[in-house]
Amino acid sequence: SNLRVQIYRGRPVLTWWEAPRGRRRSATYVVVNRRYKPIKRFRAGHGYSGDLHEFRLLPRGTAMITAYDAVRRDLRSVGGPRNGVVLDSIAQEIKVKTGRVVWEWHSLDHVPIRESFVPAPKRSGSPYDYFHINSIARAPGGDVLVSGRDTHTVYRIDRSSGNIVWRIGGKRSNFKL
């Protein structure tokens, strides 16, 4: 999924995300040259499950990707089970050459689950995708833009602290729409 032409080290490449059927935790990001020869394959960092929504190469040899992690949480405050599972949406910037994570942001550290517009599941076995990260982009000045589909929000994130600078849309927008 997410096949696109991008530039890596000054040359055009094809990139995509792939995962064996039923084994999303084994997902890889692939970069191939003009002759379709693989240049690099890497996974999301820190053991997280890489996601197909974003794979954006940046000029300095890094890639912005999306990932998920299932985390146990008490979801009663949003109508879910006490022993629930919530999906933490993760944005990572990874050195393509080494696979090393150089920046990481977690939705659960900065966006409360009550900001979601999606109802929580009633059963404890169903994961709650309260945020659903869709895209990541570098903003002018070095900050990062992240969109959360299920919060109906785009967030500007301070790259050095991870704090949210502003939100547009959603339940706590800094802008009147």
Side-chain angles (χ1 to χ4, degrees), residues 62-75:
T62 61
M64 298 296 280
I65 65 161
T66 52
Y68 285 95
D69 188 32
V71 178
R72 288 255 174 233
R73 284 283 162 95
D74 183 342
L75 299 175

Side-chain angles (χ1 to χ4, degrees), residues 150-170:
D150 291 343
T151 60
H152 302 184
T153 307
V154 173
Y155 303 85
R156 184 176 186 135
I157 298 163
D158 179 285
R159 184 176 163 77
S160 58
S161 69
N163 293 330
I164 295 169
V165 177
W166 51 250
R167 296 165 164 83
I168 187 165

Side-chain angles (χ1 to χ4, degrees), residues 94-141:
I94 294 180
K95 279 257 197 223
V96 174
K97 188 174 182 179
T98 63
R100 186 174 65 86
V101 175
V102 296
W103 182 80
E104 185 171 280
W105 183 84
H106 292 254
S107 65
L108 283 173
D109 292 342
H110 301 280
V111 180
I113 58 175
R114 68 182 171 276
E115 287 189 34
S116 184
F117 285 87
V118 175
K122 301 296 180 197
R123 298 187 344 242
S124 60
S126 301
Y128 182 32
D129 190 5
Y130 88 105
F131 189 89
H132 197 98
I133 192 167
N134 261 345
S135 62
I136 312 165
R138 292 297 300 264

